[in-house]
Amino acid sequence: MCVGFRIFTKINRPEKELIEAFKGLPAANVADVMSRFFCVNSAIKSFNNKPLLGTAFTVRARIGDNLLLHKAIAMAQPGDVIIVDGDGDISNAFCGDIMMTECQSLGIAGVIIDGAVRDKADLEKLDMPVYARGVMPKGPFKDGPGEINVPISCGGVVVNPGDIVIGDADGVVIVPPKQAKEIAAKAWKKHETEAASLEQIANGRRDKSWVDKALEAKGCEIIDDYYRA
């Protein structure tokens, strides 16, 4: 087996119902109930603020080379999110509007590039979510090597093929399928709690007494006087 230049054709994809359990949830709520881990680095940003939800289809690519990305587009199924580990390098764009338009036409749920893209103005018009670390007009090479459907790193997070991918204007969160049911349930409870807080603010009755209690518990000194140098 040629490690570093290999393609795995199969993914253990989660059940559709498990993925759909996250539909409508903000990425922030999901991150909160995972102890604020598993969030892709904030340098990787959305180009069109379209909500993202799907199954990770992973690509490890040589810096500035999109041969394996072309193969991934041909292999990915509708509902997959193609995630490219480009080592965070933005010297060359991995893709532009043509490849991303092709992904959209195939029903791919989104694309995340830990590297650069180009044709920014056109990507902003797509209905399919596109995330990347940067923009660069200089195009890619097509030589390889690389790998498909292996564990990769994207924005500091380990992503396994088949992981659940959630994204919005705030960024991207990766959810391991084995814990996804519990995570979704907790995230919805968090979402409902935040909705209740907004309602309390609208009604002018939000209780903030917990702040003073927390400060007291941590030993903060509160001085009923002016500061004097």
Side-chain angles (χ1 to χ4, degrees):
M1 182 176 293
C2 187
V3 175
F5 206 0
R6 56 187 178 171
I7 294 171
F8 292 89
T9 61
K10 296 181 179 179
I11 297 176
N12 289 317
R13 291 178 173 85
E15 294 293 328
K16 184 178 180 180
E17 292 75 16
L18 186 58
I19 299 171
E20 289 293 311
F22 290 89
K23 190 172 184 178
L25 274 171
N29 289 156
V30 179
D32 281 348
V33 301
M34 293 196 295
S35 299
R36 297 172 173 84
F37 290 118
F38 305 100
C39 296
V40 169
N41 189 282
S42 61
I44 298 175
K45 299 183 183 299
S46 169
F47 279 78
N48 50 22
N49 291 336
K50 301 293 182 181
L52 172 67
L53 179 62
T55 304
F57 188 103
T58 62
V59 180
R60 175 178 291 122
R62 179 184 176 188
I63 289 175
D65 190 293
N66 73 359
L67 178 62
L68 274 293
L69 176 55
H70 276 283
K71 180 61 176 176
I73 293 171
M75 292 173 59
Q77 296 182 10
D80 285 345
V81 178
I82 296 176
I83 305 181
V84 179
D85 177 357
D87 206 25
D89 187 90
I90 56 173
S91 301
N92 296 74
F94 277 97
C95 57
D97 65 323
I98 293 176
M99 292 176 70
M100 295 299 93
T101 300
E102 181 183 11
C103 287
Q104 179 174 281
S105 72
L106 293 170
I108 291 170
V111 177
I112 303 170
I113 309 285
D114 195 350
V117 295
R118 60 182 181 178
D119 305 321
K120 178 177 181 287
D122 294 310
L123 297 183
E124 290 172 347
K125 299 173 186 176
L126 288 179
D127 290 326
M128 182 191 72
V130 178
Y131 290 76
R133 188 178 284 270
V135 180
M136 164 57 73
K138 186 167 57 174
F141 301 99
K142 295 175 172 59
D143 301 308
E147 298 184 310
I148 290 177
N149 289 327
V150 297
I152 63 168
S153 174
C154 179
V157 177
V158 175
V159 184
N160 292 291
D163 281 350
I164 297 173
V165 187
I166 300 152
D168 55 25
D170 285 344
V172 177
V173 182
I174 306 299
V175 177
K178 288 184 178 179
Q179 291 81 39
K181 186 175 180 179
E182 178 185 1
I183 291 167
K186 289 182 177 179
W188 276 113
K189 287 183 179 178
K190 174 72 174 177
H191 189 53
E192 291 164 4
T193 299
E194 290 189 352
S197 294
L198 289 171
E199 184 178 354
Q200 290 171 2
I201 291 170
N203 295 329
R205 56 179 178 81
R206 191 181 184 201
D207 181 12
K208 299 282 287 186
S209 60
W210 67 269
V211 176
D212 286 338
K213 292 177 181 177
L215 290 171
E216 182 180 0
K218 294 177 183 294
C220 178
E221 184 181 8
I222 298 176
I223 303 166
D224 187 19
D225 199 355
Y226 298 101
Y227 173 78
R228 293 178 175 83

